[in-house]
Amino acid sequence: MAIRTAVIEDDPAVLAQLTRLIDASGDVEVSHTARNYAEGVKLVRAGGYDVLMCDLGLPDGSGIDLIRSSVSLHPAADVIVVTMFADHKKVLDSIKAGAKGYLLKDENLEDCVQGIREIRRGGSPINPFIARKLLERFRPDTSDAQQEVLSERETEVLGLLARGYSYGEIATLLGISAQTVGTYVKRLYRKLEVGSRSEAVFEASSRGLLNGL
Amino acid sequence: MAFRAALFRPRGGFLLLAFLVLVLGGPARSETTGASPFLDRHVQTGTLLDYRQAEVNLSQTSEIPKTGWEQKPITGQRLLRDVVPYNPDKNVTAWYRVRFSRSDAGPGPLAFETDHTAERIVVYLNGVDIYRSFGVGDRFEYGWNKPRMGLLPEALLREDGNELVLRVDAAYPAALRVGDLRVGGFDAIRAAHEWRRLTRVEGPKVVNGVLAILTLAILLFWSVRPQESIFGWMGLVGVVWFARNIHYYADAPLFNNGDLFWSLTHLSLFVLMVVIYGFVAAFIELPNRRRVVGFLGLCALAILLLHISFTDLIFGMTLSYLACIPVSLWVIWLFMRHAIVNPRLDSLVMFVAITTAFLFSVHDLGLMARTWDGAEFYLQPYGGLIVYSAFCFAVGRRVLLALTKVEGMNEELAVQVSEATRELRESEAARRQLEVSAAVEQERSRLMREIHDGIGSNLVTALAVARRQDEQGPSVGILKRSISDLKIAIDSLEPSEGDVSLVLGSFRQRTQADLEQAGIALKWNVDAIPPLDWLDAPNTLQVLRIFQEVVTNVIKHAAATEIEVRCRAEFRNGLPGVLVEFSDNGVGLKGSAPAAGKGIVNMTARAEALNAQLTTGSGKNGAGTSVALWLPYRRTAAATDSMSTERASAAEATSERPRKPESLP
């Protein structure tokens, strides 16, 4: 059965290209599309997709919200963020909201089918900045004791990712499969998503403290 | 006839004088050394007839009895205790008679004196009434502490066999007595009498005046700060001691019921001990003090009731005085312990004062019982002043200390305030810093959005259009480079925190596709290295531009099939730094187009602006090209940020010109 993919994208050119590329693949198909936030809300509510590709910069609302509601309504569906230049903060925010991967709109667009397949197989893409952010986020000496800490292997993988190594290179260096590296990353995204809920509370309270001064 | 001639010795007088001078602040008189200032030299050497025995007659008559005289010692003897029963409606009487010759008493006018009489007296010389302490009727009065003196009229005196008769009466048989009886020259008698009056009567009055002022001040203070119980207790001590001192100089009971007044007067010593205990307990903050004071108060009430129900004054007096002993010893013990545990000046002063007062009381008991003469006057009233002064000193010192502490606290608070102010300033600065960071981040986001929605979007669309028209057309390359430049500019804004390997990693993401398209394999060999402090966004952009130039050159001119990127820590000239090396297996510098050489000039300029070093050479095995950028950990002082930015901008400006025509067809 083909992987059903829903696409929320306001740029018609990008949407057309994505649809073309995905439909040409054979094992992946575009099941739903939405061109703005309002349509996106309906799309997410209706469900019926395996993968949601969501643009963050929608004209009438935040893609992050859509990601969040998709993750809570359809936890089995993977979310891929579609972004122009991998604005890392935005990517990180969407990972916190529950996204499992991201796709850059420029030349990487051709890789979208590959990315969708990867995600369904359990792997997630990552870039060095995000790897580094994850390393900082899960550094054992920071913040509270309750938070999850990284295993030694996870730290190792993230360290290599932050230095620009590819999944394949890391797999060779560590004697594991590239698939496993992707799985590590997906797991870390999950940890970040869970961690971000308590973090939000912490950030809110620390902001309150700051105001109290 | 027995009499004893004695030189007048003002025993203990100097002690009191020193004390009075001290307390009242009066100027010391030069003649006072070693003797009473109230006697001149002549008088001091004069002769007095000091009677210790007399003929006593206990006939309850109103006229001088003719018979029934008996020789007895008179000093301090209570005569009728067991002879006459107490009758509140009728005074008991005793008669004393002494004889003297004119020659024994010396020349000049003569006088008599008694140091005290209990209570009223009438004096007869040779049968003639010459002195009385009262006028008419049966006025009740006190003489137990009153020295009395009278002139012996020359007209009544005989050369020999002068008869001096004292009639003493009192309400209580037990109280009835006379003290020392003296006859002598008027001046000597008067000097001794003045002294006695001063020490026995006037002194306690003065003391009470001082006590009254101090007590009023203390009570006033207490009324303002009623929560300070120590002042309440102190005021109470003052009031009780003042009340007790009254009986030393009162002529008669203050109110009609003489018995009650007398009972209260005796009881006052015990009450005094109780309130002193209350003060001490409040001062050293003893636990259970309320209960103890309550118990002692009940004791005082019980003693008072016993006083009233038992008519025997001596019994009542003894009872209340006996009760005082344990309490006063207890108080002394408390003070001693406190003084030992807290060897402070105020504890010591209070201990000494209370011990002195206790010794004074012992002295007074002996004096009253005529066990000893001591100072010949009662010291207890003065003890009150000593104790009260000590209390004032201690409490005053405590108040002073508290004030000093408050001042210290003020200083401490000032320090804390300034500390808090400093912290506030710091947090304010931090907040502003945060605001700046937030503003920068916001501006960056806005720019990103601008690029994303505007330029970027257009470029990507343009690229797609250009590709559809002609995949190999010149505009495809320009558009791709524009997008690439834009992305590098954006990447430089990402918070890399000086991590060169991270910058390299992000650079790889941007160039990987280009390299793959050019059929160049990438070997990645990047070590983990510590961050460079100086590598901020503008400097990162310079570094990224160098990387970009290198990779562009390789793609365009090197005709290579492989490029290896290595990053590791390396020392140069003894300085720590990071070496980033790009080695390809292409044609090498000599074989490449001259444009590649221009590119190296640009890169060198950028590297210099960063205080970094750019070196070029052959790749592995002498083939291809190797470009290495060495970045120092610490930049020299000469290379400030502004300078580097300026020079980098200059490099940017110069680099634009050769690049543009090169990229165009």
Side-chain angles (χ1 to χ4, degrees):
Chain A
M1 189 185 163
I3 301 167
R4 294 167 299 162
T5 306
V7 183
I8 306 174
E9 169 60 59
D10 63 319
D11 187 336
V14 175
L15 180 60
Q17 201 180 354
L18 277 176
T19 312
R20 183 171 54 80
L21 285 166
I22 289 169
D23 284 342
S25 69
D27 58 339
V28 186
E29 61 174 35
V30 175
S31 57
H32 309 77
T33 57
R35 286 165 178 277
N36 52 45
Y37 181 81
E39 284 179 28
V41 171
K42 284 180 204 159
L43 187 153
V44 168
R45 209 169 284 158
Y49 51 82
D50 301 313
V51 173
L52 173 69
M53 301 188 84
C54 183
D55 187 8
L56 292 181
L58 297 171
D60 54 344
S62 162
I64 301 274
D65 291 345
L66 292 176
I67 293 170
R68 202 170 285 131
S69 54
S70 173
V71 167
S72 65
L73 287 172
H74 319 294
D78 290 312
V79 179
I80 295 174
V81 174
V82 182
T83 177
M84 175 60 76
F85 296 124
D87 175 350
H88 305 115
K89 191 182 178 310
K90 273 190 183 149
V91 171
L92 207 64
D93 285 346
S94 39
I95 290 170
K96 283 178 181 177
K100 291 289 181 291
Y102 58 90
L103 183 71
L104 301 184
K105 273 188 197 177
D106 48 7
E107 55 247 70
N108 290 26
L109 217 53
E110 285 89 341
D111 300 336
C112 71
V113 176
Q114 191 56 39
I116 292 168
R117 289 187 191 126
E118 280 286 328
I119 289 270
R120 288 316 284 174
R121 278 209 295 272
S124 277
I126 194 166
N127 87 12
F129 282 111
I130 291 166
R132 190 193 170 89
K133 280 278 175 203
L134 288 176
L135 269 178
E136 283 171 8
R137 178 63 184 75
F138 292 114
R139 202 182 299 149
D141 54 11
T142 57
S143 72
D144 57 327
Q146 285 183 338
Q147 83 161 34
E148 288 194 77
V149 287
L150 298 182
S151 71
E152 210 171 303
R153 182 43 70 86
E154 283 170 339
T155 312
E156 207 171 9
V157 169
L158 277 180
L160 287 167
L161 287 169
R163 301 205 308 266
Y165 283 94
S166 69
Y167 285 12
E169 284 162 352
I170 292 169
T172 312
L173 281 171
L174 301 181
I176 52 177
S177 74
Q179 184 65 38
T180 313
V181 178
T183 318
Y184 272 124
V185 173
K186 192 169 184 176
R187 206 157 68 203
L188 287 167
Y189 282 3
R190 178 77 193 145
K191 278 188 185 179
L192 187 63
E193 183 202 342
V194 172
S196 68
R197 287 178 204 146
S198 53
E199 192 183 54
V201 175
F202 172 76
E203 273 177 10
S205 63
S206 60
R207 215 170 293 137
L209 269 177
L210 207 65
N211 291 340
L213 273 170
Chain B
M1 180 172 50
F3 67 84
R4 186 162 60 92
L7 281 175
F8 179 80
R9 283 173 290 126
R11 284 163 290 185
F14 67 92
L15 190 97
L16 174 76
L17 183 85
F19 171 65
L20 281 179
V21 164
L22 206 76
V23 168
L24 303 175
R29 305 207 321 211
S30 55
E31 313 91 304
T32 60
T33 43
S36 165
F38 305 98
L39 300 175
D40 61 32
R41 270 171 207 289
H42 169 71
V43 170
Q44 280 181 49
T45 54
T47 307
L48 292 170
L49 303 174
D50 190 349
Y51 295 92
R52 296 286 163 129
Q53 288 196 5
E55 289 169 280
V56 180
N57 196 316
L58 298 178
S59 309
Q60 302 297 307
T61 53
S62 52
E63 297 299 319
I64 302 173
K66 306 282 184 213
T67 56
W69 293 92
E70 209 178 324
Q71 192 77 18
K72 274 189 178 174
I74 56 167
T75 325
Q77 293 298 307
R78 294 195 168 88
L79 300 171
L80 295 178
R81 181 172 182 173
D82 303 316
V83 179
V84 184
Y86 170 63
N87 177 1
D89 300 324
K90 194 169 164 33
N91 278 7
V92 286
T93 308
W95 297 86
Y96 297 81
R97 186 169 70 188
V98 294
R99 295 170 199 274
F100 62 95
S101 300
R102 184 72 178 82
S103 54
D104 291 337
L110 297 183
F112 76 93
E113 196 228 359
T114 63
D115 62 345
H116 74 278
T117 54
E119 304 282 355
R120 311 194 301 185
I121 62 165
V122 182
V123 181
Y124 304 88
L125 177 63
N126 294 329
V128 180
D129 178 351
I130 57 161
Y131 176 93
R132 52 174 57 230
S133 69
F134 63 98
V136 287
D138 47 1
R139 175 185 181 252
F140 193 92
E141 70 172 36
Y142 294 134
W144 69 278
N145 191 38
K146 292 248 161 53
R148 306 207 189 269
M149 173 199 167
L151 176 75
L152 300 178
E154 200 62 46
L156 295 175
L157 281 174
R158 305 175 193 143
E159 201 51 47
D160 262 324
N162 287 303
E163 240 183 31
L164 190 69
V165 174
L166 275 68
R167 192 196 128 186
V168 182
D169 61 37
Y172 304 96
L176 196 63
R177 63 174 186 178
V178 292
D180 290 355
L181 177 61
R182 295 188 186 89
V183 172
F186 184 86
D187 287 337
I189 288 287
R190 194 184 56 182
H193 176 72
E194 294 286 330
W195 171 250
R196 247 190 274 277
R197 242 197 109 65
L198 176 76
T199 54
R200 288 188 170 231
V201 181
E202 308 300 340
K205 273 188 196 169
V206 170
V207 165
N208 253 13
V210 175
L211 269 183
I213 291 166
L214 288 177
T215 303
L216 276 176
I218 293 287
L219 287 176
L220 201 70
F221 199 98
W222 187 52
S223 70
V224 178
R225 296 185 65 86
Q227 69 272 28
E228 305 276 357
S229 63
I230 191 101
F231 293 108
W233 282 112
M234 215 172 140
L236 208 52
V237 170
V239 167
V240 174
W241 215 309
F242 178 88
R244 176 170 172 76
N245 278 0
I246 289 173
H247 82 287
Y248 287 101
Y249 55 82
D251 288 328
L254 290 189
F255 38 88
N256 276 338
N257 192 335
D259 285 7
L260 185 63
F261 177 75
W262 205 242
S263 293
L264 286 173
T265 298
H266 284 305
L267 185 66
S268 65
L269 189 61
F270 181 75
V271 174
L272 192 58
M273 286 300 147
V274 176
V275 293
I276 287 178
Y277 168 83
F279 172 82
V280 178
F283 189 82
I284 61 187
E285 289 171 351
L286 288 178
N288 297 330
R289 55 178 182 269
R290 278 163 191 270
R291 235 174 288 167
V292 173
V293 167
F295 169 75
L296 292 176
L298 285 176
C299 286
L301 199 66
I303 293 168
L304 181 66
L305 290 173
L306 281 172
H307 254 280
I308 292 167
S309 52
F310 285 86
T311 50
D312 189 340
L313 262 188
I314 302 300
F315 170 77
M317 209 169 84
T318 312
L319 186 71
S320 60
Y321 288 165
L322 278 177
C324 288
I325 293 170
V327 181
S328 52
L329 287 176
W330 187 10
V331 166
I332 288 175
W333 156 245
L334 284 176
F335 265 123
M336 192 170 75
R337 201 180 54 179
H338 183 63
I340 289 168
V341 175
N342 308 288
R344 293 195 315 256
L345 193 58
D346 51 357
S347 319
L348 286 171
V349 164
M350 283 199 295
F351 171 66
V352 169
I354 205 81
T355 310
T356 307
F358 180 74
L359 293 176
F360 279 11
S361 301
V362 173
H363 163 271
D364 287 4
L365 279 173
L367 183 66
M368 197 171 275
R370 287 287 159 171
T371 312
W372 53 66
D373 284 343
E376 291 190 338
F377 61 90
Y378 295 104
L379 294 175
Q380 225 178 50
Y382 305 103
L385 198 55
I386 291 176
V387 168
Y388 214 65
S389 304
F391 285 5
C392 278
F393 171 77
V395 170
R397 190 162 180 271
R398 187 175 273 195
V399 168
L400 267 181
L401 283 177
L403 284 177
T404 315
K405 201 174 164 190
V406 165
E407 275 169 24
M409 257 162 70
N410 282 343
E411 277 169 30
E412 175 70 15
L413 277 176
V415 169
Q416 277 179 14
V417 164
S418 71
E419 180 78 5
T421 312
R422 193 180 57 77
E423 276 171 13
L424 195 65
R425 210 180 300 129
E426 276 174 11
S427 79
E428 177 65 17
R431 198 179 62 80
R432 222 170 286 149
Q433 186 63 42
L434 270 179
E435 275 179 5
V436 168
S437 317
V440 167
E441 177 58 29
Q442 201 181 357
E443 189 56 20
R444 197 182 69 86
S445 302
R446 196 185 64 79
L447 256 169
M448 294 282 232
R449 208 164 46 244
E450 242 358 83
I451 291 165
H452 181 283
D453 299 341
I455 309 165
S457 199
N458 293 343
L459 280 174
V460 170
T461 313
L463 183 61
V465 170
R467 271 182 175 160
R468 266 203 296 281
Q469 285 169 353
D470 178 7
E471 181 65 36
Q472 301 307 315
S475 39
V476 172
I478 297 170
L479 285 169
K480 280 175 110 174
R481 200 196 323 286
S482 299
I483 292 172
S484 177
D485 279 1
L486 207 55
K487 285 193 286 189
I488 276 172
I490 289 167
D491 279 352
S492 75
L493 290 172
E494 290 290 349
S496 66
E497 279 149 42
D499 188 345
V500 179
S501 61
L502 178 63
V503 173
L504 260 178
S506 74
F507 176 69
R508 181 183 184 174
Q509 299 255 313
R510 298 303 187 199
T511 34
Q512 179 95 45
D514 292 339
L515 285 168
E516 275 170 18
Q517 207 173 10
I520 301 171
L522 177 63
K523 277 181 78 179
W524 198 252
N525 205 336
V526 176
D527 290 353
I529 45 160
L532 308 179
D533 293 340
W534 54 268
L535 197 65
D536 53 8
N539 289 328
T540 303
L541 183 60
Q542 298 307 319
V543 170
L544 281 170
R545 289 266 187 256
I546 293 171
F547 293 167
Q548 190 189 22
E549 188 91 38
V550 172
V551 171
T552 308
N553 280 345
V554 170
I555 291 172
K556 279 204 179 331
H557 310 294
T561 57
E562 189 186 280
I563 180 167
E564 181 176 8
V565 178
R566 289 195 300 170
C567 174
R568 62 173 187 272
E570 189 174 287
F571 277 86
R572 279 209 178 162
N573 304 324
L575 297 172
V578 177
L579 186 74
V580 184
E581 201 177 7
F582 297 82
S583 317
D584 65 59
N585 62 351
V587 294
L589 277 177
K590 283 170 191 162
S592 68
K598 279 182 188 167
I600 287 167
V601 172
N602 292 335
M603 289 191 286
T604 310
R606 285 185 202 276
E608 277 174 7
L610 293 171
N611 254 34
Q613 295 173 7
L614 189 94
T615 48
T616 56
S618 299
K620 276 183 200 165
N621 311 322
T625 314
S626 168
V627 181
L629 178 67
W630 182 81
L631 305 160
Y633 267 108
R634 289 189 215 307
R635 297 202 290 174
T636 53
T640 59
D641 281 9
S642 62
M643 261 185 78
S644 73
T645 314
E646 247 170 61
R647 288 167 69 179
S649 313
E652 183 92 34
T654 52
S655 73
E656 287 309 311
R657 247 167 282 135
R659 274 181 68 202
K660 267 180 186 165
E662 171 206 334
S663 349
L664 288 168

